Amino acid sequence: MQALQSLKLLIGTPIAENLLEKKHALHVYNRTAAKAQPLANKGAVVCTSVKEVANLCDIVFSIVADDAALNHIVQGDEGIAANLKAGGIHICMSTILPATATHLSSLHQQYNNHYTAAPVMGRPDAARARKLNFLVSGNASIIEIVKPFLQDAGATGIWEFGDNEAAAHVAKLCSNFLIISAIEALAEGINLAKKSGIDAQQWMNVLTKTIFSAPVYINYGNILLKEAYQPANFSLRLGLKDVNLVMEQAAETNAPMMFGKALQERLQQCVANGLGEYDWTAIALALKEKSVV
Amino acid sequence: MQALQSLKLLIGTPIAENLLEKKHALHVYNRTAAKAQPLANKGAVVCTSVKEVANLCDIVFSIVADDAALNHIVQGDEGIAANLKAGGIHICMSTILPATATHLSSLHQQYNNHYTAAPVMGRPDAARARKLNFLVSGNASIIEIVKPFLQDAGATGIWEFGDNEAAAHVAKLCSNFLIISAIEALAEGINLAKKSGIDAQQWMNVLTKTIFSAPVYINYGNILLKEAYQPANFSLRLGLKDVNLVMEQAAETNAPMMFGKALQERLQQCVANGLGEYDWTAIALALKEKSVV
């Protein structure tokens, strides 16, 4: 079996390495050829186009930054849908608008091949540790074929959301919204604790050992206490992209989102002030007096 | 040893019962005498005034709804400070403004007795299960005396914040802010998931078994999915009171709180629309179309 690995996101490389470790024959493509080179050194065949990958492979993984990039590699004569063989499977790991998945899935159907939604939860270190979680939806029999490949790609959990290709993407957007909400709340709480002169580290100890004993609060609490906003594990710019998708889905479904709207504006402000390539926890910098924001 | 137990909050009764179970001689007072009666049946002596309790006891526990109620029972000729013996200890379990603690602590000092900050984290069921967490601050040697009493009152954790009486109250406000932020984010996420037609229960399963594996998300997620806003374990009205305190502390310390401000307005709106005695998770009702809010 073979797979396309676009390396646009930092998480792409460790996923591809996981597949290589499990002895899969891997064909890879990235717009920037140099980014694929380290994988070639580990046994991957570097292709020069999406079309070439789709022609050569039975299963194609994709992970790209946004809906436009995904549409670009899937649609048209040079795209994955037109060039993947009948019965082939496209596993889409990106965080995208659910409507985009619905559209691309029907495009794949026209070519008698398959779109499987498998957006991935986890930062690059989780990929390296094989502790990724995939949210999956689409044709049930195709998902059974896909599961062992997700395991080899680094899954610790595969969570099914039924046969609607859009469903897993909705779940992913809701999850990212909950994470960035937790980051903002943590940032405001830590800032209030510090400004009030109490031991913010001890406050985080209490919470993460009691009612907030979850990885999100432990990991992001630690980053926020240390103000370690670089290097980015997940950039603020991509965080804004995801919140924009959340708000587009909210508008589509008539779901009011008070926090969502506030976060969208705050992240826009942060990007406008030059924080786009910082980690998305840098949203906390907006709380600083005389800060860039 | 003896203790005053004001039953204004639902959590007061199980804490008093815990103390009785541990064979403490307990004197209790509540403005509404009938509320103290069940404790009398279990061996507590019901007093007719705060002054009587303070005169009779070495250690006084208080838990009341707000700063005004606390000032009322501590200050003046009839108050705890004036009537507690020299060396006596007042353990304040309420969620109050840190500045109130500073003020009352110095009042206690004038009478040569002690104020210990011990705001409590946990809902009534946690009190009954002896799984409360106390955030404590104040004179270190007094805290050593107080600890075994907090254990008997139902502590699973006692978390120290140093010798400033205000510090534990800051930590409590920050904690409640983090909880109500999580509730609002969960409510928005669950609503978006449902409006998008996906299995919101499965989405909560994923989160609470992975990156959000914490009691706050498990418990409140469950309440929000069931829309079980009554009976209240912690009323929306008290939630608003706490967020008002958070915002007062934020103004005092010049700490911007985007979520805090949004929550304050939303909770005010909910109380104005008759949801004050619902559980504070009923903030989710503001997301319903054609709802009361």
Side-chain angles (χ1 to χ4, degrees):
Chain A
M1 280 293 176
Q2 305 132 324
L4 159 75
Q5 184 62 49
S6 164
L7 304 180
K8 184 68 186 171
L9 298 187
L10 291 171
I11 201 166
T13 302
I15 289 175
E17 287 170 347
N18 287 341
L19 288 165
L20 286 168
E21 262 177 26
K22 295 290 180 178
K23 309 298 178 197
H24 291 284
L26 195 69
H27 289 71
V28 298
Y29 169 73
N30 189 282
R31 280 182 307 176
T32 311
K35 290 192 182 173
Q37 197 52 47
L39 292 171
N41 299 341
K42 294 184 178 183
V45 177
V46 177
C47 296
T48 57
S49 69
V50 166
K51 181 180 179 178
E52 186 184 356
V53 175
N55 280 326
L56 290 168
C57 298
D58 301 317
I59 294 185
V60 174
F61 286 80
S62 72
I63 188 155
V64 294
D66 56 30
D67 293 58
L70 185 65
N71 282 326
H72 182 73
I73 64 168
V74 178
Q75 298 178 143
D77 292 346
E78 310 288 310
I80 297 172
N83 291 286
L84 195 58
K85 67 187 68 171
I89 301 170
H90 172 199
I91 303 173
C92 176
M93 299 187 290
S94 300
T95 302
I96 55 165
L97 202 62
T100 300
T102 304
H103 163 65
L104 294 180
S105 180
S106 63
L107 184 66
H108 274 284
Q109 276 175 12
Q110 290 170 29
Y111 290 98
N112 295 313
N113 49 46
H114 306 278
Y115 176 98
T116 300
V120 59
M121 283 169 61
R123 292 163 72 118
D125 53 348
R128 283 185 285 272
R130 295 184 172 275
K131 289 189 174 169
L132 295 173
N133 283 281
F134 289 93
L135 312 175
V136 300
S137 66
N139 180 296
S141 59
I142 300 299
I143 283 175
E144 289 309 308
I145 296 171
V146 162
K147 278 183 187 175
F149 291 91
L150 293 178
Q151 292 289 0
D152 288 351
T156 185
I158 298 171
W159 306 87
E160 299 184 41
F161 283 86
D163 57 7
N164 184 338
E165 291 80 3
H169 293 293
V170 171
K172 180 67 199 299
L173 289 182
C174 291
S175 302
N176 278 16
F177 164 70
L178 219 59
I179 295 171
I180 186 64
S181 294
I183 291 172
E184 172 65 22
L186 273 169
E188 292 184 27
I190 288 171
N191 190 51
L192 181 61
K194 284 183 175 177
K195 289 222 169 188
S196 300
I198 75 161
D199 182 345
Q201 176 72 62
Q202 171 70 342
W203 175 59
M204 283 309 303
N205 287 346
V206 179
L207 291 184
T208 57
K209 286 175 183 165
T210 60
I211 55 177
F212 284 94
S213 55
V216 161
Y217 285 83
I218 295 166
N219 297 339
Y220 288 116
N222 197 33
I223 291 172
L224 289 162
L225 282 169
K226 290 182 183 168
E227 305 185 18
Y229 308 129
Q230 283 183 305
N233 269 315
F234 186 72
S235 74
L236 202 146
R237 181 178 51 78
L238 287 174
L240 172 58
K241 188 260 314 184
D242 287 357
V243 173
N244 284 341
L245 295 179
V246 168
M247 294 312 290
E248 202 170 331
Q249 181 68 8
E252 191 85 22
T253 57
N254 196 21
M257 298 191 80
M258 175 175 77
F259 275 6
K261 189 165 182 297
L263 288 165
Q264 186 178 37
E265 286 169 12
R266 179 58 59 86
L267 288 165
Q268 277 168 349
Q269 200 184 14
C270 287
V271 169
N273 282 286
L275 297 176
E277 299 311 317
Y278 283 61
D279 193 74
W280 65 342
T281 45
I283 193 172
L285 287 173
L287 305 175
K288 296 261 186 191
E289 292 168 299
K290 302 172 191 168
S291 80
V292 287
V293 180
Chain B
M1 281 293 175
Q2 305 134 322
L4 157 75
Q5 184 62 48
S6 164
L7 305 180
K8 183 68 185 171
L9 299 185
L10 292 170
I11 201 166
T13 302
I15 288 175
E17 287 169 348
N18 287 342
L19 287 166
L20 286 168
E21 263 177 27
K22 295 290 179 177
K23 308 298 180 199
H24 291 284
L26 195 70
H27 290 70
V28 298
Y29 168 74
N30 190 282
R31 279 182 307 178
T32 311
K35 290 192 183 173
Q37 196 52 48
L39 291 171
N41 298 341
K42 295 184 178 185
V45 177
V46 178
C47 295
T48 57
S49 69
V50 165
K51 180 180 179 178
E52 186 185 358
V53 174
N55 280 328
L56 289 169
C57 298
D58 301 317
I59 294 185
V60 174
F61 285 82
S62 72
I63 188 157
V64 293
D66 57 29
D67 293 57
L70 184 66
N71 281 327
H72 182 73
I73 64 169
V74 179
Q75 297 177 143
D77 293 346
E78 309 290 310
I80 296 172
N83 291 285
L84 194 57
K85 68 187 67 171
I89 302 169
H90 173 199
I91 303 172
C92 175
M93 300 187 290
S94 300
T95 302
I96 56 164
L97 202 62
T100 300
T102 304
H103 163 65
L104 294 180
S105 179
S106 64
L107 185 66
H108 274 283
Q109 276 175 14
Q110 289 170 29
Y111 290 98
N112 295 312
N113 49 46
H114 306 279
Y115 176 98
T116 300
V120 59
M121 283 170 61
R123 290 162 74 118
D125 53 348
R128 283 185 285 272
R130 295 185 173 274
K131 289 188 174 170
L132 295 174
N133 283 282
F134 289 93
L135 312 176
V136 300
S137 66
N139 181 297
S141 58
I142 301 299
I143 283 175
E144 289 309 307
I145 297 170
V146 163
K147 278 182 186 175
F149 291 90
L150 294 178
Q151 292 290 2
D152 287 351
T156 184
I158 298 172
W159 306 86
E160 299 184 41
F161 283 86
D163 58 7
N164 184 339
E165 292 81 3
H169 294 292
V170 171
K172 180 67 198 300
L173 289 181
C174 291
S175 303
N176 278 16
F177 164 71
L178 219 59
I179 295 171
I180 186 65
S181 293
I183 291 173
E184 172 64 22
L186 273 169
E188 292 184 27
I190 288 171
N191 189 52
L192 181 61
K194 285 184 175 176
K195 290 222 169 189
S196 301
I198 75 161
D199 182 345
Q201 175 72 64
Q202 171 69 343
W203 175 59
M204 283 310 304
N205 286 346
V206 179
L207 291 184
T208 57
K209 285 175 185 166
T210 60
I211 54 176
F212 284 95
S213 55
V216 161
Y217 286 83
I218 296 166
N219 297 339
Y220 288 116
N222 197 32
I223 291 172
L224 289 162
L225 282 169
K226 290 182 180 166
E227 305 184 18
Y229 308 129
Q230 283 183 305
N233 268 316
F234 186 71
S235 75
L236 202 146
R237 180 177 53 76
L238 287 174
L240 172 58
K241 187 257 320 182
D242 286 358
V243 173
N244 285 341
L245 295 179
V246 168
M247 294 312 290
E248 201 170 331
Q249 182 68 9
E252 192 85 22
T253 58
N254 196 22
M257 298 190 80
M258 175 175 78
F259 275 7
K261 188 164 183 295
L263 288 165
Q264 187 178 37
E265 287 170 11
R266 179 59 58 87
L267 287 165
Q268 277 168 350
Q269 200 184 15
C270 288
V271 169
N273 282 286
L275 297 177
E277 299 311 318
Y278 283 61
D279 193 73
W280 64 342
T281 46
I283 193 173
L285 287 172
L287 305 175
K288 295 261 188 194
E289 291 167 302
K290 300 172 191 166
S291 79
V292 286
V293 180

